[in-house]
Amino acid sequence: MSATIRDVAKLANVSVATVSRVLNGTAKVNEETKNAVLRAQKELDFHLNSFARTLATKESNTIGVLVSDISDPFFALMIKACDQTARSFKKGLIITQGFYDEEKEIKAIENLLSHQCCGIIAHLLAISDEKLSSYMKKYPYIVLINRRLDGFEDRCVNIDNFNAMKDLTEYLIGLGHKKFVYIDSEFDIADAKERLEGFKQALSNHSLCIDDKYILQTKPYSENAVKTANTLIEMGVDKFSAIVCYNDSIAMSIINVFLNHGIKIPDDVSITGFDDLFFASVIYPSLTTVQNPIEKMGQEAVKLSFARFKKDETFCISEFETKILYRNSVKKN
């Protein structure tokens, strides 16, 4: 039979309330008493029932984080930042995935709600505005990352994808590039739409246009972009001077395939990414990209969500700034 909190209290010769205070860290206890409780806990191999605690206090020890795909390095950075901030509140994380699919996103958010998390940070791009709004109204501690939702702007942690991509494309045009390929995400998601529109706006500003056959789509992961890279080779890299990619993972995969085929970057073609993942600065050539402050966004999203759970509406966040990082994957045309 498993040990109970009463068994720990009896062995440590303290009250049940004292054991609870020590194990939950809810109040200061003198060092001698604390050590006695921890020794008894270890000897009895006792662990608090977090679900029972949640029922009693209506506050769990967990903050929920919903991302699209945990294997994506972009989300790994976000999760790490969320975890560091959650720990400052003495909370752990429950992590789930939506895979850019509305049904899976709904199941994921329902899973987090069933755990009665005291904060939820969600990267939800497939779920409809109508359905998402219903969750946002009912649960004022849900905070969105990388999505704007009308009426809930104060709980949307975001960047200006449109202008970030427009500025990056304007930079390439300023270097003399006129013939482009754009590699888009095949997922029908908000940030992909905004980045593509920013790219097109930059071209329009300079009376340039792009044939639809030069706008390709791929899943936004390195392994999926290999096929796209081979398609570009078949098209002939002499048909364009610059490749603008939805994210770094796609760009880095294309660079790798091109180099293996003897195509030099940036001598034969320039290429840009978006996000500034760690490897973007250490690959050869280093990748010109847009710095997306996802770590800072994750940290602030956790603070905002926990504040709203505590019914504190004074904590707020403004849109996060991006910047172009000029590296070696681009040259004048």
Side-chain angles (χ1 to χ4, degrees):
M1 185 175 178
S2 300
T4 68
I5 193 170
R6 294 183 183 279
D7 296 328
V8 177
K10 183 177 180 180
L11 182 59
N13 197 28
V14 298
S15 68
V16 169
T18 298
V19 174
S20 179
R21 285 195 293 270
V22 170
L23 299 185
N24 286 313
T26 54
K28 289 186 177 180
V29 177
N30 71 64
E31 202 66 24
E32 183 178 351
T33 301
K34 178 181 177 181
N35 289 335
V37 170
L38 293 177
R39 284 195 299 271
Q41 177 199 24
K42 184 175 181 180
E43 183 176 334
L44 296 171
D45 192 27
F46 172 78
H47 299 280
L48 283 176
N49 185 328
S50 60
F51 183 68
R53 178 184 181 277
T54 298
L55 292 176
T57 64
K58 296 184 178 180
E59 179 178 323
S60 76
N61 275 324
T62 58
I63 290 175
V65 176
L66 194 167
V67 298
S68 295
D69 188 338
I70 197 172
S71 68
D72 188 327
F74 177 79
F75 294 116
L77 290 173
M78 171 185 154
I79 290 168
K80 181 179 179 181
C82 288
D83 183 56
Q84 290 171 338
T85 306
R87 287 173 184 270
S88 71
F89 296 125
K90 297 183 178 178
K91 306 293 181 184
L93 294 187
I94 294 180
I95 303 165
T96 187
Q97 305 171 85
F99 298 107
Y100 302 101
D101 178 88
E102 181 170 30
E103 184 178 346
K104 291 176 181 177
E105 287 186 349
I106 290 172
K107 287 182 179 178
I109 199 166
E110 289 287 351
N111 179 44
L112 295 179
L113 291 170
S114 72
H115 282 82
Q116 296 185 299
C117 296
C118 55
I120 292 178
I121 293 81
H123 189 275
L124 292 162
L125 295 179
I127 189 172
S128 69
D129 285 355
E130 182 181 6
K131 183 65 176 177
L132 184 53
S133 293
S134 68
Y135 282 118
M136 298 292 281
K137 289 174 184 176
K138 192 172 182 180
Y139 303 99
Y141 51 87
I142 295 177
V143 170
L144 303 179
I145 282 189
N146 270 4
R147 180 164 178 174
R148 293 183 185 85
L149 187 64
D150 290 344
F152 302 95
E153 291 83 359
D154 61 335
R155 286 190 277 146
C156 296
V157 181
N158 215 337
I159 61 171
D160 187 345
N161 285 287
F162 175 88
N163 280 305
M165 187 62 86
K166 180 178 73 66
D167 291 346
L168 180 62
T169 308
E170 294 266 10
Y171 165 65
L172 291 170
I173 294 171
L175 291 177
H177 293 279
K178 295 181 180 179
K179 296 180 180 179
F180 291 89
V181 167
Y182 187 86
I183 312 298
D184 194 12
S185 169
E186 72 174 40
F187 295 120
D188 185 23
I189 50 180
D191 63 347
K193 293 176 182 177
E194 292 166 0
R195 293 177 194 180
L196 177 57
E197 287 306 309
F199 167 76
K200 288 181 175 180
Q201 185 61 55
L203 296 186
S204 177
N205 289 347
H206 294 269
S207 301
L208 299 174
C209 60
I210 184 170
D211 192 308
D212 285 345
K213 70 179 181 181
Y214 291 110
I215 299 178
L216 307 181
Q217 291 187 325
T218 182
K219 288 185 174 66
Y221 319 123
S222 296
E223 60 271 21
N224 294 98
V226 171
K227 182 179 179 181
T228 303
N230 288 323
T231 298
L232 292 173
I233 292 171
E234 291 171 6
M235 293 169 65
V237 295
D238 58 321
K239 302 291 195 304
F240 45 86
S241 65
I243 304 170
V244 179
C245 299
Y246 162 76
N247 68 8
D248 288 351
S249 293
I250 294 172
M252 289 188 285
S253 181
I254 291 173
I255 288 175
N256 183 56
V257 173
F258 275 20
L259 292 178
N260 286 336
H261 282 78
I263 300 169
K264 298 178 181 178
I265 308 293
D267 293 342
D268 295 328
V269 62
S270 293
I271 187 166
T272 61
F274 199 111
D275 287 335
D276 190 35
L277 301 180
F278 169 73
F279 289 108
S281 63
V282 298
I283 63 168
Y284 179 81
S286 56
L287 182 64
T288 294
T289 188
V290 172
Q291 185 181 64
N292 187 348
I294 190 59
E295 292 176 272
K296 184 66 174 176
M297 290 165 68
Q299 292 168 355
E300 296 303 304
V302 170
K303 293 176 185 177
L304 175 59
S305 182
F306 191 61
R308 294 303 167 90
F309 181 84
K310 294 290 189 180
K311 297 181 169 55
D312 176 8
E313 296 189 7
T314 61
F315 188 91
C316 58
I317 297 174
S318 58
E319 192 171 69
F320 284 78
E321 292 185 0
T322 61
K323 67 177 181 179
I324 299 173
L325 298 176
Y326 305 99
R327 298 194 178 119
N328 300 322
S329 65
V330 167
K331 73 165 192 173
K332 288 184 179 181
N333 189 41

